[in-house]
Amino acid sequence: MKRKLIAAIGVAGMMVGVVACGGSDKGGDGGKAGGAKELTVWLTVDAQNNWPELVKAADDAIAKKYPGIKIKHEYYGWPDKNTKLDAVLATDKAPDVVEMGNTEMIGYMAKGAFAEVDPKKFANSDQWLDALKASVTYNGKTYGVPYYAGGRVGTWRKDIAAEVGVKTAPKTWAELTSALDKIQAKKGDKFSAWYQPSPDWYGAMAFVYGAGGSIAEQNGETWKANLSSPESVKGLNEYKSILDKYMHGDKTKDESDRPVVFGQGNAATMFAAGWEGATAADPKNDKVGGLKDKLENFVMPGPSGQALPVFLGGSDLAVPVKSKNQEVAAEWIAAFTGPEGQKGLAAKGNLPNNKTDLAPLKNDPATAVPATAAESSWFVPTAPGWGQVEKGQILKTMLIEIANGKKSVEAAAKDADAAIDKVINTK
């Protein structure tokens, strides 16, 4: 997935090559640790710009174990990374470690591009967050290691809530909808008590999974679409009720500029990535004035009585199957994603990859909401054709048809299932 960090870190587009530990000798011995002379690690510029000290710590750990090894780093922006990766994977010059967006993993795993790894060799792997574990698993085997994540939270204008007598963030669906009803009645139909762009399938599928449904189900190595199941339809109907009651903006518009729209002051609530509230309150987007002090985050309750499960966007680390240094590559990943690395990533505003390191964040007021929300999560089907489902915008099309009333929920879901089934098992 191409994502922004919780702290709204920008992503540059240019690749930069850096060599750590000096030298440029070529080496490698069929993946055996003792024969590795050089290790090439590809990361995005997020690591280069925001936590280079964590990269260096992993380098130092490997250099200490393997004196004389040369560790090369190349950094990429998200838009150009996969084009470069696809080109190099067709040669014998594959990097040894590569960072992937977690939904990007699926197509590469399906095509056999990454080496299988043993999760037992990575700290707290038995506690990996559910959605992150799913992102590195294909047909029951593990092909990567979760790196870090970012989730979704509820964010609302506590000043507007106070106008209708609500002084605390909602903890239940009944509390949330009661407050939204009051806000909507007071503000009128040109105001969105909940600004929810209908094509935002990450938000919509939270309702589907929260109702016990899913996008697709796996049977052996075959996937079948599941949006027209009773559970999924229930979730879609609950999503539609939010759009009908509280969303009074353009229902065909996607979520790409949601923070900007929210900053204009015509909405009270959003269910969005953790960084979006801060972006809305940025002075260049804040048309309200002092919006930063008027926002409050909360764990979004769901109709089921539990928190809405959130999609966890984030990064994974994988070892290309063509790497000549697979053992050392896995050791570098273990050093980078271990407890100290996870602690360092959390300090930068990210969510760690496991429940053990997540637990302390739940007790810190600054991180309690995103950390608690991340405990209940979902992930896209790890099917070989998932990329084609996304590329075909099948979910977005379904959601727009539901939002504008062009089709009933049942009809739109049935048509989406048919479209998904045509591509989801295609490598």
Side-chain angles (χ1 to χ4, degrees):
M1 176 188 179
K2 297 173 184 176
R3 334 152 305 295
K4 295 183 180 179
L5 302 179
I6 291 173
I9 297 166
V11 175
M14 184 176 294
M15 180 273 284
V16 180
V18 178
V19 179
C21 307
S24 60
D25 294 338
K26 301 295 181 182
D29 185 20
K32 294 181 180 179
K37 298 178 182 178
E38 182 176 285
L39 197 71
T40 300
V41 178
W42 283 17
L43 300 171
T44 68
V45 291
D46 299 341
Q48 181 186 32
N49 294 340
N50 303 296
W51 44 86
E53 71 281 6
L54 304 183
V55 177
K56 184 178 185 301
D59 290 348
D60 290 347
I62 296 302
K64 182 177 181 180
K65 185 173 182 179
Y66 301 106
I69 193 171
K70 283 75 178 178
I71 304 178
K72 296 174 61 178
H73 291 284
E74 294 184 8
Y75 295 94
Y76 294 85
W78 285 102
D80 48 67
K81 173 182 67 66
N82 285 8
T83 300
K84 176 69 173 179
L85 180 61
D86 291 345
V88 78
L89 288 180
T91 73
D92 61 353
K93 303 294 184 182
D96 301 298
V97 176
V98 61
E99 176 182 352
M100 304 293 295
N102 58 2
T103 62
E104 294 175 342
M105 286 286 294
I106 301 169
Y108 289 85
M109 292 190 297
K111 293 177 181 177
F114 297 144
E116 187 178 355
V117 298
D118 181 358
K120 294 180 182 178
K121 294 183 177 180
F122 303 93
N124 293 315
S125 60
D126 60 337
Q127 293 294 308
W128 283 343
L129 297 177
D130 295 342
L132 300 186
K133 181 178 179 180
S135 75
V136 297
T137 305
Y138 186 74
N139 286 340
K141 297 181 178 180
T142 305
Y143 292 95
V145 178
Y147 174 7
Y148 67 91
R152 290 182 173 235
V153 298
T155 300
W156 77 352
R157 293 271 303 275
K158 59 184 179 182
D159 58 322
I160 292 178
E163 290 179 18
V164 296
V166 179
K167 297 182 180 179
T168 58
K171 291 183 172 57
T172 67
W173 186 250
E175 290 176 358
L176 173 64
T177 54
S178 174
L180 294 177
D181 287 342
K182 293 174 183 177
I183 291 170
Q184 197 63 66
K186 180 177 178 62
K187 294 294 187 179
D189 60 10
K190 294 187 182 301
F191 185 91
S192 295
W194 182 338
Y195 182 75
Q196 179 57 47
S198 68
D200 172 20
W201 60 271
Y202 297 109
M205 292 303 107
F207 285 85
V208 168
Y209 282 87
S214 60
I215 299 171
E217 293 290 304
Q218 186 175 18
N219 183 10
E221 295 187 7
T222 301
W223 289 82
K224 184 169 179 56
N226 192 50
L227 290 168
S228 58
S229 70
E231 297 83 1
S232 296
V233 167
K234 179 182 179 183
L236 289 170
N237 274 311
E238 290 166 344
Y239 182 69
K240 185 177 186 299
S241 73
I242 293 300
L243 300 176
D244 290 346
K245 291 181 180 179
Y246 309 124
M247 171 58 179
H248 297 283
D250 182 352
K251 292 182 180 178
T252 66
K253 189 177 180 61
D254 69 22
E255 73 276 15
S256 59
D257 64 347
R258 175 167 43 205
V260 176
V261 174
F262 197 81
Q264 293 171 353
N266 293 317
T269 309
M270 60 179 172
F271 178 46
W275 53 265
E276 293 189 48
T279 302
D282 187 292
K284 68 176 181 291
N285 297 323
D286 180 7
K287 307 304 179 186
V288 175
L291 184 58
K292 178 181 178 181
D293 296 326
K294 297 172 182 176
L295 296 180
E296 183 177 17
N297 290 340
F298 56 94
V299 177
M300 183 62 79
S304 70
Q306 304 295 321
L308 275 181
V310 299
F311 175 83
L312 290 182
S315 281
D316 297 326
L317 297 169
V319 179
V321 74
K322 288 188 175 183
S323 164
K324 298 178 177 64
N325 304 300
Q326 292 180 17
E327 290 185 28
V328 181
E331 290 184 55
W332 188 92
I333 293 173
F336 190 51
T337 61
E340 287 303 311
Q342 293 299 308
K343 182 178 179 180
L345 288 165
K348 299 290 185 176
N350 304 292
L351 293 174
N353 67 7
N354 68 88
K355 296 174 184 177
T356 299
D357 291 318
L358 189 71
L361 302 183
K362 293 168 58 182
N363 298 320
D364 183 340
T367 55
V369 169
T372 302
E375 286 189 305
S376 177
S377 59
W378 63 273
F379 193 65
V380 299
T382 52
W386 175 252
Q388 294 186 55
V389 175
E390 281 202 49
K391 185 177 180 180
Q393 300 191 345
I394 297 171
L395 297 180
K396 289 185 175 184
T397 298
M398 175 189 71
L399 293 171
I400 292 173
E401 290 173 341
I402 290 172
N404 64 20
K406 183 177 180 180
K407 293 180 182 177
S408 68
V409 168
E410 292 79 4
K414 184 177 180 180
D415 289 347
D417 275 353
I420 290 171
D421 283 338
K422 288 180 180 178
V423 299
I424 195 167
N425 293 298
T426 304
K427 291 187 179 180

